[in-house]
Structures are given as structure tokens and as C-alpha cells.
Amino acid sequence: MKRKIYHKSTFEKTSRERQIKVYWAAISVFSQKGYEAASVQDIAQKAGISVGSLYSYFSSKEDLFKAIAEMGYAVLEQIVTEWNPQKEDSFRSAMTTLFRMTLEYSRKYPDLSKLYLLLTTDSLNPFSEQLSKEMEISFRSAYAHLLENAREKGELRSDIDLEMAGYFIDNAAVMLQFSQTSKYYQNRLRQYLGLSEDEEMPDDRIVSALVNYICDGLTHEEK
Amino acid sequence: MKRKIYHKSTFEKTSRERQIKVYWAAISVFSQKGYEAASVQDIAQKAGISVGSLYSYFSSKEDLFKAIAEMGYAVLEQIVTEWNPQKEDSFRSAMTTLFRMTLEYSRKYPDLSKLYLLLTTDSLNPFSEQLSKEMEISFRSAYAHLLENAREKGELRSDIDLEMAGYFIDNAAVMLQFSQTSKYYQNRLRQYLGLSEDEEMPDDRIVSALVNYICDGLTHEEK
Amino acid sequence: MKRKIYHKSTFEKTSRERQIKVYWAAISVFSQKGYEAASVQDIAQKAGISVGSLYSYFSSKEDLFKAIAEMGYAVLEQIVTEWNPQKEDSFRSAMTTLFRMTLEYSRKYPDLSKLYLLLTTDSLNPFSEQLSKEMEISFRSAYAHLLENAREKGELRSDIDLEMAGYFIDNAAVMLQFSQTSKYYQNRLRQYLGLSEDEEMPDDRIVSALVNYICDGLTHEEK
Amino acid sequence: MKRKIYHKSTFEKTSRERQIKVYWAAISVFSQKGYEAASVQDIAQKAGISVGSLYSYFSSKEDLFKAIAEMGYAVLEQIVTEWNPQKEDSFRSAMTTLFRMTLEYSRKYPDLSKLYLLLTTDSLNPFSEQLSKEMEISFRSAYAHLLENAREKGELRSDIDLEMAGYFIDNAAVMLQFSQTSKYYQNRLRQYLGLSEDEEMPDDRIVSALVNYICDGLTHEEK
DNA sequence: AATGAATGAGCCTTCATTCAT
DNA sequence: AATGAATGAAGGCTCATTCAT
């Protein structure tokens, strides 16, 4: 997975500390306001540096955004790596881990999580199409391996469309992430669960329900 | 479901034709460019009216957007109404209809579909939070009725968390819509299915796989 | 001589008064500071209008400059037309008129005159080459006619290179204009004439000397 | 001819090589882009030194430009010295040499030549007025000597205004230089001569025509 | 003495909003 | 009621100049 480089060489020469401040500020502002509404001034200010410096690191707002986007993908890949379901784990437990990690990740990195939403929901940034093509996130192959393994172990139904199954699992994970990241999807989940705005999310209930549906479906098995 | 009114009273006095042109132009521009990048000039021009007129109908860009948002919800509600699964239909066939309609809707109204994406993704518009609270879309209750009915008919497992089930179904529908609406999610689906960019979407395969997973899950029923 | 149009259609709709204020301000600022150093803000302010208005008339600083340039050429052409030496006039008197008019013009329109200098001396504006090609000022053919006529009337030496002669006359006129327009060339003339900075220009002496040199040369005719 | 010093004392301590690189770079960049558009960064880079160093040699962009300007004048003076028409040479041959040298110089040092254009054309640089006063180029006295000598030898008409004559000769030389240096004046010469853009300049024709006009004028000597 | 990263004022341009016609 | 020209604040970006290393 080759990542493009969107910063100028100057950026690599700055202190790690400064780099991090810049990334942090950019992620924070972009994710809160979106690409268009975010202002370079804001980002510089939040990072505690001058606009001139920012432009000596990145040659345009666009490039800064793309650099941040790359970071978002990088974190995602890290998660897949960390997930790494073992062969001997049951499919069910792998799913449970996946959803638990998804919840954990979206809470640990709310800004990056929001950024992912921004990236995947076009029209907020003018290069979404370009970016979407460059994204070739490792989840797909992780799912593929997991499913093949499960089939070999006889855990899966024999009539399963494996490719669609991967897509289906991913959907569930993505929507779970959205429900932590976007106010709208969070409200929606609360409404479905009949929760008020200040009640805590019943993580266990959510995860186990998801796992159940994915593994067993909603209806009785056809006889 | 009370809808707030975001237009000035003047708007109601104009011809229906003019109203529609305004709505259509606003939806088109907002959905293509996003809230920030859309310009009031563009919208007025596309609607074939003057900026002054537009401002005599809506007191700000914000209000115009909100009015459009309301319209988006209205269309959604219309769909639920149209869906209206009959008591005697099986749960499985109700699901099939739901997903077929979702596909059909996202293709028939790509702009509105994109608008929904904008509305639900914070930071794509500055009032997402406010809007998300006002949205109380009828799908939830439609799902609830459907599920209760299915349970009564003995179609559902007995251990199902009904509330989460509604949420789960909705997720599947939303992601299906996204896969038609956002370049990113479309590419992603193609990648999962191993399709090239110019191959047609295999609707039947997608719908039936989704229905299968939702109804039967991925694994063998536990004995 | 087709002139390109560099303004937006909006400009034509404004009051003549406003148009003139804009032209005047632009000529004044551009000629005093040069293209790069002139600021759009300055021009708008000097014209007593808002920057936004200026941009509704011209789509860029570049276009505004080009529009002004066109005006400069237009005035030049007007001068040639006005000059219009009669067939029965002697070559000598036509030259006298030419230089008198040149002096008069450079004093009446000092800004336009300076602008011409700017236009013809590259590297001050990034489009000089383009502009220089579009300029096809009528002086050349006016000189050609004048010289042919003079030759037919037997006023000219027979060995004269007519084409170079036109160029030679034009040079004299251009340098005369420069000597009114550029501080440097003005100082230079004063130094040659031994004048202090506050002494008035001896127009008659200058014109008659020029005419003499051009008509009779500096040396005795070779026998 | 006292020349002002515009560099800091540090500049004198650097290697001659470094000094020359700086001058060369500055001349090149200033002459190609003009004062405003030239950037200090560009110059430093082209000279192969750091911006910091440049500022340790010259205290501002302005001073750097003025230093370069001084150099331009210095070269001009060198040319006058080199010209140095001998007493025994005829006026005609001195003129021929002058124009030949002018052509040669403008081609050998196109950048310096362009710089001269910049210096003499106000508003291309913000200090033209100041500079023009400091310029007191030796050509004037060279012309004066030449003309006096020619008059003594009886080569000149007796009614000649000697001061204006010097100015007249200089004009011809300056315009000849411009025609090599500025795209506009080059095109203009080509148009007068009916040359296409890729035809070579007919140096001999140009020089001899100029000499003829200057010496003999355009018309028959009055009887 | 040399370097080049850092600064921030200032420039060109856009666009939501107002208001005279 | 409708128009669209006018406004000016704000945004992205550049570059002369400084200063820590």
C-alpha cells in the first residue's frame, strides 16, 4: 500500500512536536468544519504557528487536506493489523472483536473518525473521487481471509455469497462507526433504542445484537 | 410529524412552478457542491430567477438549505408510505421490497439522495445537529410494525432484540443507498464484488444476498 | 483595427460617469506604480467604488489592465487621425505638426502617455508580448503615405530607404514623448540643454531642432 | 563620477566569485521579471546562496536593486570609454562605430540592456526618480566633444544647435538599443522593415540608414 | 559568516446580503 | 414583487525580512 506524500520536504525537517501540532490542528479543524468551511488561518492558529509556516510545509490547503486524509487511512490500516483474527478463533468471536474495536477506535480518535466520514461522503471535498480510488483499505482482504477460514472450518453456510458477505460485514462496522461519529447517526441509534440524550450507550447490547444478526440472521433457519 | 417552515410568507404567494424551480435548483446545487461551496448566485441562476427574489423567499442561505432539507425528509416519508408492507406479506418479501425500493429511489432521485448524505454527515453543513434532532423519520415505526407483525406470525426468532433489529435493517438500507450515491461507497462495493468500473451493478445478486444475510445470518443456526 | 473587449457586460450597463471614474483611477494607479505594484484595492478606492464592483466589471486585474491598454492605443489612433497631413503641406511642416502634437498629447494625457511607456517596455507587465502583437498602430502607414507623397513631390532625396525613414521619424517622436513622460528622459533632456529643474521646456527650440535634423541632417550635403 | 555604495561592508569581504554570482543572479532575475515581480528568494537561489546571506550583503531588496543599477551605469561608462572616437576619424565613421557598438552591446549583455530599460522607465521601479538624478552618464560629454571636434573640422553645418544635436544622436542610439531589447520595439522595427518574425535583422542596412539620416537628413539640402 | 525556517502584512478574488430602481 | 448591481468582510496564498542555530 504505497502512500503518496503530500507535504513539502521542509515539513520533515521540523521538530516532531511541531509536526504533530500541525496534524492535530488540521484534523481537528477539518473534521469539525469540513473542507470548505475550514480556514487555513484557523488551522495555523490552532497549531500555534504562522500561516507562512503552514504553507512552507504544504503547498496548498488541498495538499494539507490530502496529507491528513492519508493519515486517516494509515490509522485504519493499523487497526486491521491490530485486529488480526487468529485461525483458531471462532467466526463469532472475530466479529465480536471487530465491533468492539470499532467502538473503541471511534471513541479514541473521534476526529479521525469524523474525517473518514468526510472522505467517504463526497461533495464535501472536491477530490473525493481521486481519494476514493487511492484508498484500498486492507479490511477487505482481512474479511476475505476470515470468511474463507470460517468456511473451511465449516462455520459458514454453504450457500453464502462470500464477496457480498465481506461487504455486508463492513457495512455493519461502518455504520457502527458512524453512530459514534455523526450526531445524526448517534441520535438515530438512540431513537431506535429508546434512549434519552444523556443515557450512556449500552455497548454490550449493541455489539452482541450485531453479532447475533450477522451470524444467525433475524429469522428461523429455513427447514 | 410537524415540519418547520423556513421560507418567508412571500414564497407561498409565488406560482407553484416558480417554487418548484427554486427547490429543484437548490437541491441540485447543494447536493453537487455541498453547503459551503454552493453559491446563492448559482442557485438563483439555475432556477432562472434573480438573487433578490431568492432573498425575498428565504431570508438566508441557511434557511434555504434547511427548507430543502425538510423537503428531503418529506420525500423519505413518502417512500415509507409507498412501501407500506402488507400484514400478509412475509418478512422476507417485505425486506426484498424495501431494498428494491431503496435502489430505485436512489437512482430516481440522485440529488435528493446525495442531499440526505449531506444532511446526515455533520460538518458537511453547519446545522447538522439541529437538523438531526428535527428528523424523526417514519421508517423507524414502519420497521417496528413490520417486526412486531413478523414476530406475531412466528417468523422471527424469539430471542431477537427488536429495537436493535430495526436499527440493523435501517443500516443495511442506508448503506445500500450510500453505495448508489457516494462515489466512494460505490467503488467500495465494486471492489468487494470484483467489478470493473464500467460493469453494471448486479441488482438481483445484491438484493438477494442482503435479504439472505438479514433473514438467515451467515452461520449455521446453532443446534 | 479590431479592439478586443476586456470588460464584462456589466460594465456597459453602469453610468458613463462611473465608467470614467474607473478608467481614470486605473490609468492613474497603473501608470504611477506599474502593473505589479498597483493594487486593485487602490484602484477601487481611487475610483470611489468597492472592490466587488470592480470585479463585477472586470474579471481580473489582468483584464482591467488590458482594457486600459486598449484605451491607450485608442487614444494614439485618434491622434494619427487628427494629425492627418494634407497632400499640399510640405514634408517639413508635416514634421513640425507631428512633433508639436506629440508634445501636446504627452502633456494633456500624462498618465496615458506613461501607460504607453509601460506597455512598450516589457517585463513590467506579464503580457507585454501578447499586447505588442495586438498593437498595430496606424502611425506606420501614416508615415508611409507622407513619405511617398513627399517623394513624388520631389521633396526627398532619391537614395532614401523609405521604410527605415518611417522608423526613424517614429523614433524621434517616441523619444520626444518619453522626454515628457519619464522622469529619467526628462532629466536627460534638461542635462543636454543645460537647463535646471525648474526652467520651462523650450518647446520651439526642441521642435525646430528636431525638424532640422530630420530634414537636413547634421552635416553638409556631400558634393 | 562618484558612485553611491548600496551594499553592506560584509559584501566586500566575500570572495570575488561569490560577489559575481550575486550580481549575475540579481541582474538576470530583475531584468526578466521587473523589480516588483522579482523575488529575493529567486535571486538567492539563482546565486546559489541563502537568503540570509543575501541580507547580510544588502540590507533590503531596494538596496540590492540600486547596487545592480549602479553596475548597469558602470558598464555604460565602460562602453563610452571603449568607443572613444579619435580626432582624425570623420564624424560619419564615429557615428557608424557608435551604432555598431550599440547593437553589439545590446546583444552581448541582453540582461543589462533590459535593466537599463527598467531603470529609465519610471514606475517600473519605485526609485526611478532618485536613480535618474544620480545617473550622469558620460555619453553626453563624449557627444559634445565629438560634435565640437567635427564643427572645428568643418564637418558640421554652421547653424546646428549643438546641444540638441547630442540629444538627437543619443535618442537614435537609445532607440536602437530598445529595438534589440524590448519585444515591442523589436516587433515594431520588423513591421517597419516588413520582416517576418524569424528573419534575421539586417544590421548593415539599419546602421547605414541611421548614419545617413543623421548626417544628411531626409530632404534635399536647401539651396 | 552562513543558513533557511518562521513570521505576518498584504494581495487578489469570492460571495452572502442589501437596496435602489 | 422582481431585479441585479453594489458592498466589504473574509479566504487562500506570497514574499520581504528576521533570527535561532
Side-chain angles (χ1 to χ4, degrees):
Chain A
M1 196 111 356
K2 278 164 215 152
R3 293 276 165 232
K4 282 199 183 161
I5 290 180
Y6 289 107
H7 57 252
K8 295 186 183 172
S9 61
T10 328
F11 190 51
E12 291 164 13
K13 294 178 199 148
T14 348
S15 68
R16 188 80 194 119
E17 187 194 13
R18 217 175 152 92
Q19 288 177 16
I20 289 178
K21 280 197 296 181
V22 168
Y23 274 136
W24 170 79
I27 291 174
S28 161
V29 174
F30 275 133
S31 68
Q32 269 166 50
K33 306 208 175 181
Y35 178 76
E36 297 288 350
S39 100
V40 174
Q41 298 259 5
D42 278 359
I43 296 174
Q45 199 162 50
K46 196 153 198 167
I49 68 172
S50 69
V51 197
S53 283
L54 201 49
Y55 272 91
S56 78
Y57 299 148
F58 302 90
S59 40
S60 63
K61 185 186 179 184
E62 181 171 334
D63 273 11
L64 175 54
F65 184 75
K66 286 178 178 168
I68 296 300
E70 289 291 334
M71 254 204 72
Y73 306 152
V75 171
L76 277 189
E77 277 171 37
Q78 219 182 306
I79 294 175
V80 195
T81 312
E82 201 188 318
W83 179 34
N84 185 32
Q86 299 304 310
K87 290 226 172 193
E88 54 278 9
D89 293 348
S90 70
F91 179 75
R92 194 168 211 100
S93 80
M95 285 295 97
T96 309
T97 317
L98 175 66
F99 294 133
R100 290 217 167 284
M101 283 184 61
T102 303
L103 278 181
E104 188 191 357
Y105 158 79
S106 359
R107 284 170 188 162
K108 196 166 163 191
Y109 308 106
D111 286 347
L112 275 180
S113 206
K114 221 162 187 174
L115 192 66
Y116 178 73
L117 219 153
L118 248 98
L119 290 172
T120 61
T121 14
D122 325 352
S123 81
L124 43 165
N125 72 76
F127 0 94
S128 53
E129 188 159 359
Q130 182 196 342
L131 287 172
S132 77
K133 275 177 193 151
E134 287 168 12
M135 279 195 256
E136 191 203 318
I137 288 153
S138 332
F139 273 102
R140 187 161 50 90
S141 62
Y143 296 146
H145 288 137
L146 175 72
L147 286 163
E148 274 167 39
N149 182 245
R151 160 164 289 173
E152 278 165 22
K153 290 199 292 181
E155 286 181 296
L156 296 193
R157 298 160 167 270
S158 48
D159 61 331
I160 290 288
D161 180 334
L162 280 194
E163 292 165 338
M164 280 294 295
Y167 178 67
F168 189 57
I169 295 173
D170 201 23
N171 280 354
V174 165
M175 288 302 305
L176 185 59
Q177 196 201 120
F178 280 14
S179 75
Q180 298 306 114
T181 305
S182 141
K183 284 275 180 235
Y184 171 76
Y185 287 106
Q186 194 169 62
N187 277 337
R188 183 167 148 281
L189 175 51
R190 284 183 187 285
Q191 284 179 14
Y192 270 102
L193 297 186
L195 298 175
S196 71
E197 221 174 313
D198 43 2
E199 276 175 283
E200 219 182 321
M201 277 285 170
D203 286 3
D204 286 337
R205 176 181 174 193
I206 296 171
V207 168
S208 69
L210 274 182
V211 171
N212 280 340
Y213 300 145
I214 293 226
C215 292
D216 308 327
L218 297 176
T219 63
H220 288 293
E221 187 160 3
E222 301 161 47
K223 303 286 154 71
Chain B
M1 195 111 357
K2 280 164 213 153
R3 295 277 166 228
K4 281 201 183 160
I5 290 179
Y6 290 107
H7 56 253
K8 295 184 182 174
S9 61
T10 335
F11 190 49
E12 292 163 11
K13 294 179 200 146
T14 352
S15 69
R16 186 80 194 119
E17 187 194 14
R18 217 173 152 93
Q19 290 177 15
I20 289 181
K21 278 197 298 183
V22 168
Y23 274 135
W24 169 80
I27 290 174
S28 162
V29 174
F30 276 131
S31 69
Q32 271 166 48
K33 307 208 173 180
Y35 178 75
E36 297 290 346
S39 97
V40 174
Q41 298 264 1
D42 276 1
I43 295 174
Q45 196 162 52
K46 199 154 196 166
I49 67 171
S50 69
V51 201
S53 286
L54 203 50
Y55 270 86
S56 78
Y57 300 148
F58 302 90
S59 43
S60 64
K61 186 185 180 184
E62 182 172 331
D63 273 10
L64 174 55
F65 184 77
K66 287 177 179 169
I68 296 301
E70 290 293 334
M71 250 205 74
Y73 305 151
V75 172
L76 278 189
E77 278 172 37
Q78 219 182 308
I79 294 175
V80 194
T81 312
E82 201 188 319
W83 178 34
N84 184 32
Q86 300 304 310
K87 292 227 170 192
E88 53 279 10
D89 294 345
S90 71
F91 178 75
R92 196 170 210 98
S93 81
M95 285 294 98
T96 308
T97 317
L98 174 67
F99 294 132
R100 290 217 167 285
M101 281 182 64
T102 304
L103 277 180
E104 189 190 358
Y105 159 78
S106 4
R107 283 170 188 161
K108 198 165 163 191
Y109 308 105
D111 286 349
L112 274 180
S113 208
K114 222 163 185 172
L115 190 66
Y116 179 72
L117 219 151
L118 249 96
L119 291 173
T120 62
T121 332
D122 320 82
S123 79
L124 306 199
N125 70 78
F127 357 92
S128 53
E129 187 159 359
Q130 180 194 344
L131 288 172
S132 76
K133 277 178 193 151
E134 289 166 10
M135 277 196 257
E136 190 202 320
I137 288 153
S138 335
F139 272 102
R140 187 160 51 90
S141 60
Y143 294 146
H145 288 137
L146 175 72
L147 285 163
E148 272 167 40
N149 182 246
R151 160 164 289 173
E152 278 166 23
K153 290 198 293 179
E155 286 182 296
L156 296 192
R157 296 159 168 270
S158 48
D159 59 333
I160 290 288
D161 180 334
L162 280 194
E163 291 165 338
M164 279 295 294
Y167 178 67
F168 188 56
I169 294 173
D170 200 23
N171 280 355
V174 166
M175 289 301 306
L176 185 60
Q177 195 202 117
F178 278 15
S179 75
Q180 298 305 113
T181 305
S182 142
K183 281 273 179 238
Y184 172 77
Y185 287 106
Q186 193 168 62
N187 275 338
R188 182 165 148 283
L189 174 51
R190 286 183 185 285
Q191 282 179 17
Y192 271 104
L193 296 185
L195 298 176
S196 71
E197 221 173 316
D198 43 4
E199 276 176 283
E200 221 182 321
M201 278 286 170
D203 287 2
D204 287 336
R205 176 180 173 193
I206 295 170
V207 169
S208 70
L210 274 182
V211 172
N212 280 340
Y213 300 144
I214 294 226
C215 293
D216 309 327
L218 297 176
T219 64
H220 289 294
E221 187 159 2
E222 300 163 44
K223 303 286 152 70
Chain C
M1 194 110 357
K2 279 163 213 155
R3 294 278 165 228
K4 283 199 183 163
I5 290 180
Y6 289 107
H7 58 253
K8 295 186 184 172
S9 61
T10 327
F11 190 51
E12 292 164 11
K13 294 178 202 149
T14 346
S15 68
R16 188 82 195 118
E17 187 195 12
R18 216 173 152 95
Q19 289 178 16
I20 288 178
K21 280 197 297 181
V22 168
Y23 274 136
W24 169 78
I27 290 174
S28 161
V29 174
F30 274 132
S31 68
Q32 270 166 50
K33 306 210 174 181
Y35 179 75
E36 298 288 348
S39 100
V40 173
Q41 298 259 5
D42 278 359
I43 296 174
Q45 199 161 52
K46 197 153 199 167
I49 67 172
S50 70
V51 199
S53 283
L54 202 49
Y55 271 89
S56 79
Y57 299 147
F58 301 89
S59 41
S60 62
K61 185 186 179 183
E62 180 172 334
D63 272 11
L64 175 55
F65 184 76
K66 286 178 178 168
I68 296 301
E70 289 292 334
M71 256 203 70
Y73 305 151
V75 172
L76 277 188
E77 276 171 39
Q78 220 184 305
I79 294 173
V80 195
T81 312
E82 203 187 317
W83 179 32
N84 185 32
Q86 299 304 309
K87 292 228 171 192
E88 53 278 11
D89 292 348
S90 71
F91 179 74
R92 196 170 209 97
S93 81
M95 285 296 98
T96 308
T97 318
L98 174 67
F99 294 133
R100 291 216 166 284
M101 282 184 63
T102 303
L103 278 180
E104 186 191 359
Y105 157 78
S106 354
R107 284 170 188 163
K108 196 165 163 194
Y109 308 105
D111 286 346
L112 275 180
S113 207
K114 221 163 188 173
L115 192 66
Y116 179 73
L117 219 153
L118 248 97
L119 290 172
T120 61
T121 13
D122 324 352
S123 82
L124 45 166
N125 73 76
F127 359 94
S128 53
E129 189 158 0
Q130 181 197 341
L131 287 173
S132 78
K133 275 178 191 150
E134 287 169 11
M135 280 196 255
E136 191 202 317
I137 288 154
S138 333
F139 274 101
R140 187 159 52 89
S141 61
Y143 296 146
H145 288 136
L146 176 72
L147 286 163
E148 273 168 41
N149 184 244
R151 160 163 291 173
E152 279 165 23
K153 290 199 292 185
E155 287 182 295
L156 296 194
R157 298 159 167 268
S158 49
D159 61 333
I160 289 287
D161 179 335
L162 280 194
E163 292 165 337
M164 279 296 295
Y167 179 66
F168 188 58
I169 295 173
D170 201 22
N171 279 355
V174 165
M175 287 303 305
L176 185 60
Q177 195 200 120
F178 280 13
S179 75
Q180 299 306 113
T181 305
S182 143
K183 284 273 181 233
Y184 172 77
Y185 287 106
Q186 194 169 60
N187 277 336
R188 183 166 148 281
L189 175 51
R190 285 183 186 284
Q191 283 179 17
Y192 271 102
L193 296 186
L195 298 176
S196 71
E197 220 173 316
D198 44 3
E199 277 175 283
E200 221 182 322
M201 277 286 171
D203 286 3
D204 287 337
R205 175 180 174 195
I206 295 170
V207 170
S208 70
L210 273 182
V211 171
N212 281 340
Y213 301 145
I214 293 225
C215 292
D216 310 326
L218 297 176
T219 63
H220 289 294
E221 187 158 3
E222 299 162 48
K223 304 286 150 70
Chain D
M1 195 111 357
K2 278 164 215 155
R3 293 278 166 228
K4 282 204 182 158
I5 289 179
Y6 290 106
H7 58 252
K8 295 184 181 173
S9 60
T10 335
F11 190 49
E12 292 164 11
K13 295 178 198 146
T14 353
S15 70
R16 186 81 194 119
E17 188 194 13
R18 216 174 154 92
Q19 290 176 14
I20 289 181
K21 279 197 297 183
V22 169
Y23 275 135
W24 170 79
I27 290 174
S28 163
V29 175
F30 276 131
S31 70
Q32 271 165 49
K33 307 208 174 182
Y35 178 75
E36 297 290 346
S39 98
V40 174
Q41 298 265 0
D42 276 2
I43 295 173
Q45 197 162 53
K46 198 154 198 167
I49 68 171
S50 69
V51 201
S53 285
L54 203 51
Y55 270 86
S56 80
Y57 300 148
F58 302 89
S59 43
S60 65
K61 186 184 178 183
E62 181 173 331
D63 274 10
L64 174 54
F65 184 77
K66 286 177 179 168
I68 294 302
E70 290 293 334
M71 251 205 73
Y73 306 151
V75 172
L76 277 189
E77 279 172 35
Q78 221 183 305
I79 294 174
V80 194
T81 312
E82 201 188 319
W83 179 33
N84 184 32
Q86 299 304 309
K87 292 227 169 192
E88 54 277 13
D89 293 346
S90 71
F91 179 74
R92 196 170 209 97
S93 81
M95 285 295 99
T96 308
T97 316
L98 174 67
F99 293 134
R100 289 217 168 284
M101 281 184 63
T102 303
L103 277 181
E104 188 190 358
Y105 159 78
S106 9
R107 285 170 188 162
K108 197 166 163 191
Y109 307 106
D111 285 350
L112 274 179
S113 207
K114 221 163 187 172
L115 191 66
Y116 179 72
L117 218 150
L118 249 96
L119 291 172
T120 60
T121 335
D122 321 68
S123 79
L124 307 201
N125 70 76
F127 358 93
S128 52
E129 186 159 359
Q130 180 195 343
L131 287 172
S132 76
K133 277 180 191 150
E134 289 167 9
M135 279 196 257
E136 189 202 320
I137 288 154
S138 335
F139 272 101
R140 186 160 52 88
S141 60
Y143 295 146
H145 288 137
L146 176 72
L147 285 163
E148 274 168 38
N149 183 247
R151 159 164 290 171
E152 279 166 21
K153 290 199 293 181
E155 287 182 296
L156 297 192
R157 297 160 167 269
S158 49
D159 61 332
I160 290 287
D161 179 334
L162 280 195
E163 291 165 337
M164 278 296 294
Y167 177 67
F168 189 55
I169 295 173
D170 200 22
N171 279 355
V174 165
M175 288 303 303
L176 186 59
Q177 196 201 119
F178 279 13
S179 76
Q180 299 306 114
T181 305
S182 141
K183 282 272 180 240
Y184 172 76
Y185 286 106
Q186 194 170 62
N187 275 339
R188 182 165 148 284
L189 174 51
R190 285 181 186 286
Q191 282 180 18
Y192 271 102
L193 296 186
L195 297 177
S196 71
E197 221 172 314
D198 42 3
E199 276 175 285
E200 220 181 322
M201 277 287 171
D203 286 3
D204 286 338
R205 176 181 173 193
I206 296 170
V207 169
S208 70
L210 274 182
V211 171
N212 281 339
Y213 301 146
I214 292 226
C215 293
D216 309 326
L218 297 176
T219 63
H220 288 294
E221 188 159 2
E222 300 161 46
K223 303 286 149 76

